[in-house]
Every structure is written in C-alpha cells, then in structure tokens.
Amino acid sequence: MPHTLTAETAQHFATIALGHVRREYPNKPANAFAGPKDARTPSQLFPIFHGSLDWHSCVHGYWMMAHILRKFPDIPAAEDIRALFNEMLVPEKVEGECSTLAHPLARGFERPYGWGWLLKLSAELSLLDDRRWFRNLKPLSDVFVQRFTDFLPIATYPVRVGTHFNTAFAMRLAADYAESVEDAALGELLRETALGWYGQDEACPAWGEPSGDDFLSSALVEAECMRRLMPRQDFLPWFDRFLPEIEARKPATLFSPASVSDRSDGKIAHLDGLNLSRAWCWRSLARALPEGDPRRPIMEKTAREHLARALPHVAGDYMGEHWLASFATLALEA
C-alpha cells in the first residue's frame, strides 16, 4: 500500500467505514445512567453516532468519510457517503444527540477525545462545497466548543497518557475547528492552555511508552499539538528542547514500531493505532523542520517504518477495523 492517500485506498477505507458506522452492535456505551429510564438502546441515545462499537469511533469514521469525500468526490463510495450524510446529518438527529448530552451526568461524556473528534469532523464538513451538513451539525459542535471553554480553565494539569484521556490530542484536533470556523476565542484558549501545560517541557524521556493499550504517543502527540498551536518561530526552539536527541534516535522507544500480539483483543489492537498515530506525528513534525535539517530523513524513515507495520492490519478483526482506517488516513495525509 502506498504511503499517500490514493483514490484506491480512499475507496477501500470508505467501504470499511460504511460497513460499520451504522452497525449498532456490538456496542460499548460511555454514558452514565441516573435510573432505569436512561437504559435505552444506542440508537435511541445517539441517533447519528451509535455505530462503530463506540461513539467516538463512529464520529471519526464520519470524519474520515467527509475527508475522503472532499479529496476524492468521484470515487464509487462518494455517492454512498453523500446518501449517508443526507440521511443522518439532519437537524432532528442532531437534536437527539444534543438532548442526550444535556443529561446532568453527561458533563464528562467522551472528555476530551470525543470532543476533539467531533470538532474535527465539523471542521472537515465546513470545507466541503456543500456546507449544509456542517450547518446541520453546528448545534452539536457548539455543545463541545462550550465544553472545552468550560473545562480547560479549571483543568489544572494536562493528562499525559496514550489513550482517550490525552489532552494534547484533543486540543490538536480542536485547533483545526477553531481555524476553519475562525473561532478566535477557542483558538486562543487552546493556545494559552497548551503553553501553560507544555511550554516548559524539555528532554522528554518517553520512558513509559508504549504502554500495553496505547494508541497515542504522549510525547509525539504533545509535540504535534505544540506544532499546530505555536507560531513556527517559537515552535522550532521548543521542539529542539523537547526532543534534543533525535539525531541519535533517542528516546529509542519512539523509533521502534510497537508489536501487536493479538488483534482480536481490543486493548492490544490499540497498538496498531499507536503505530499509525506515531507515523502521523513524525511526518507532520518532520515537515515543520527546515529543508536540509538532518533530523528530517530520520523522522521520515521512522514514519515509513511505523506505517509499513500497521497499514496491512487496518481491516480484519472488528476490534481494530471499527476505527483504524481513520488513524491511517491521518498518517497518510500528514
């Protein structure tokens, strides 16, 4: 498989997503129940994002399809994506999602991973020629903008893990939304928070990576968050301090693709996602460096090695298949 998103690969990925975004079961709910009346089916709770095993995976499946539709509007799957969006991204279904999120116990629902992905989806929809789906989804996007706005000022510390709770990854995705819709207040809040949390970090050891169910590198995604939110002239010296030994391929753990022993185990299968998200970060970070920087070929080679390890496993077992193509798209489009 090539290391760029081709029309053929896009068709393959879109076919995968179309096969699971409306697959309601198996399902892993993330909402809290206050009483028996809250025990409803996934599609009753979430009229749009009830497939793909869990809410957040369904959201980033939609993001991937929106991205593919923008890049490859004439592939065979494009009409199926349009039909899906026309059926699902409608005001009454958006209102159903908003209604569930208005539940008093839903304050922390999908925080912050799902928040970031929903805004990333909205940003992608805003770039399509037909902005109708973006407008329809806007009330739900507004919910998550408000949740970031309420949460970040009271979040004293970042969350530095390789799973859904990582704050740098969510802010990195939300930054795309802030830029695409010109939400200056959200963009500034993300920037100020990132600088406060990560601005003084240096000589990152990455000794805890990878953990057994990581799908993010806490080190690399922090760097990618800062690349996205900092002016280039400020980011480059920060990056020099944060990972000062790239030419020596240190920290060594960041340069070695993770090994995946059992892809039928949902947590172990996360490690395929780790390889893909590392590839995304390494490629993005390499391209932020000046031409001729000796670190660039090292970083690009490392990204290729991670991609080669993970791309053959995007489909196969549903534990990975319900989400990995989205991460592969991030990596291929870095």
Side-chain angles (χ1 to χ4, degrees):
M1 187 177 286
H3 288 175
T4 57
L5 187 66
T6 64
E8 180 181 7
T9 303
Q11 173 68 25
H12 175 52
F13 287 178
T15 301
I16 292 171
L18 287 164
H20 64 67
V21 293
R22 283 192 286 192
R23 178 177 171 178
E24 190 167 359
Y25 300 101
N27 198 289
K28 184 181 179 184
N31 56 300
F33 290 4
K37 63 179 174 30
D38 295 328
R40 293 182 286 157
T41 66
S43 59
Q44 290 170 334
L45 289 163
F46 302 107
I48 304 172
F49 304 118
H50 54 261
S52 310
L53 188 67
D54 48 51
W55 190 89
H56 54 257
S57 297
C58 197
V59 171
H60 54 80
Y62 272 80
W63 164 78
M64 182 186 71
M65 288 188 288
H67 183 77
I68 286 171
L69 187 61
R70 180 166 65 88
K71 294 294 294 290
F72 301 99
D74 299 319
I75 61 172
E79 278 308 304
D80 293 329
I81 294 172
R82 292 186 185 97
L84 174 74
F85 287 7
N86 282 333
E87 177 186 349
M88 304 298 279
L89 299 181
V90 294
E92 57 269 27
K93 290 184 183 291
V94 172
E95 174 54 35
E97 296 268 339
C98 292
S99 177
T100 296
L101 291 171
H103 192 290
L105 293 179
R107 177 184 180 187
F109 176 78
E110 291 285 356
R111 186 176 77 194
Y113 182 77
W115 300 7
W117 270 118
L118 192 285
L119 294 186
K120 177 73 168 167
L121 165 61
S122 188
E124 194 67 47
L125 293 174
S126 78
L127 300 174
L128 293 173
D129 291 336
D130 184 349
R131 287 170 58 92
R132 175 168 42 98
W133 301 313
F134 164 72
R135 290 193 296 269
N136 288 349
L137 193 65
K138 185 70 161 48
L140 187 59
S141 307
D142 289 344
V143 168
F144 288 107
V145 169
Q146 190 61 51
R147 294 200 174 181
F148 271 111
T149 302
D150 293 341
F151 173 66
L152 291 181
I154 64 170
T156 307
Y157 308 107
V159 182
R160 304 172 185 269
V161 296
T163 56
H164 309 86
F165 309 104
N166 185 285
T167 42
F169 181 75
M171 291 199 298
R172 164 64 183 85
L173 299 185
D176 290 344
Y177 176 84
E179 181 178 270
S180 69
V181 305
E182 300 181 344
D183 188 332
L186 177 62
E188 186 58 26
L189 174 61
L190 295 169
R191 206 162 14 254
E192 289 179 356
T193 303
L195 287 172
W197 280 347
Y198 310 121
Q200 301 305 311
D201 290 356
E202 57 185 34
C204 180
W207 58 264
E209 299 187 34
S211 185
D213 70 344
D214 282 355
F215 59 88
L216 300 169
S217 161
S218 59
L220 294 178
V221 80
E222 176 181 331
E224 172 59 13
C225 175
M226 296 296 268
R227 182 202 66 79
R228 184 66 178 82
L229 288 169
M230 295 177 76
R232 188 168 185 266
Q233 69 272 16
D234 296 334
F235 169 73
L236 292 176
W238 178 90
F239 187 62
D240 292 344
R241 297 190 301 272
F242 184 66
L243 290 173
E245 296 187 273
I246 288 175
E247 288 184 76
R249 295 177 64 90
K250 293 181 180 180
T253 185
L254 297 181
F255 294 85
S256 299
S259 176
V260 186
S261 61
D262 184 350
R263 291 185 168 86
S264 68
D265 183 297
K267 293 293 189 179
I268 295 174
H270 274 180
L271 294 165
D272 277 321
L274 175 65
N275 288 333
L276 292 168
S277 65
R278 280 184 175 181
W280 167 57
C281 291
W282 278 127
R283 294 182 93 183
S284 294
L285 294 166
R287 291 171 187 179
L289 301 182
E291 290 287 345
D293 190 303
R295 295 170 293 181
R296 283 188 66 155
I298 296 170
M299 296 160 70
E300 290 164 352
K301 179 175 183 291
T302 302
R304 290 193 299 270
E305 291 168 350
H306 281 75
L307 272 171
R309 183 70 67 88
L311 281 176
H313 306 292
V314 165
D317 192 283
Y318 193 58
M319 287 299 100
E321 190 171 295
H322 74 275
W323 66 282
L324 283 171
S326 304
F327 274 63
T329 301
L330 281 177
L332 292 171
E333 290 287 85

